[in-house]
């Protein structure tokens, strides 16, 4: 599937299955051009396998989010109002598939702290632990590491901002 500017999402070592992504994007294109209907919730419910030499997940997630906005804009008026609700199953999958760039020679967040917090969020979404609120996400603080394996601070902060927004829409 070619994006709006005629390019494909970048291929990375471990990414989303290209055939699955292409099939969904074709379905979306068809729905936007008068083909079989497809709702934003249908798109949110889709999951992609992680495979070797797949599409970059971040780029695909951004593209799919843009497609969801287009489907909502083209949908019936009753489906257009307000921000869409986020399904907990989609949210769990999105969190589980999150990948952050590693840093070693500059300051980064402690990998264990970030991973433990995201596991806590997932447990809350699944009902196995108290739910994590958007305020909890905004208030979380991680240890920083300077010379060891860590996650890129800006990438994690950006993800957490999107996570807090998504939790508000549950």
């Amino acid at each position: 599937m070619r994006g709006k500017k005629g390019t494909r999402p970048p291929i990375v070592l471990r990414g989303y299955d290209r055939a699955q992504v292409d099939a969904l994007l074709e379905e979306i294109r068809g729905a936007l051009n008068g083909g079989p209907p497809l709702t934003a919730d249908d798109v949110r419910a889709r999951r992609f396998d992680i495979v070797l030499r797949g599409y970059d997940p971040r780029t695909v997630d951004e593209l799919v989010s843009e497609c969801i906005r287009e489907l909502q804009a083209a949908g019936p008026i009753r489906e257009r109002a307000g921000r869409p609700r986020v399904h907990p199953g989609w949210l769990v999958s999105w969190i589980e598939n999150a990948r952050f760039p590693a840093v070693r020679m500059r300051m980064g967040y402690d990998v264990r702290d970030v991973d433990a917090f995201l596991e806590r969020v997932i447990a809350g979404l699944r009902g196995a632990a108290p739910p994590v609120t958007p305020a909890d996400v905004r208030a979380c603080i991680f240890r920083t590491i300077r010379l060891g394996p860590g996650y890129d601070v800006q990438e994690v902060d950006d993800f957490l901002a999107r996570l807090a927004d998504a939790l508000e829409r549950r």
Side-chain angles (χ1 to χ4, degrees), residues 38-87:
L38 187 65
T39 67
D41 287 335
D42 294 335
V43 175
R44 280 189 204 96
R46 294 291 180 89
R47 301 291 166 262
F48 305 117
D49 295 330
I50 301 290
V51 298
L52 291 175
R53 303 218 13 94
Y55 287 141
D56 176 45
R58 184 175 177 178
T59 304
V60 172
D61 289 343
E62 290 170 3
L63 179 60
V64 169
S65 293
E66 184 178 331
C67 291
I68 288 171
R69 286 190 294 277
E70 288 182 36
L71 285 169
Q72 289 171 325
I77 291 174
R78 63 177 161 42
E79 295 177 11
R80 293 184 200 173
R83 296 183 329 176
R85 293 185 57 90
V86 175
H87 187 275

Side-chain angles (χ1 to χ4, degrees), residues 73 113 127 131 135 142 154:
D113 287 356
F142 304 115
Q154 188 62 48

Side-chain angles (χ1 to χ4, degrees), residues 6 12 15 57 74 78 93 101 118 128 133 136 150:
V12 294
R78 63 177 161 42
S93 178
L118 293 178
T133 67
D136 295 334

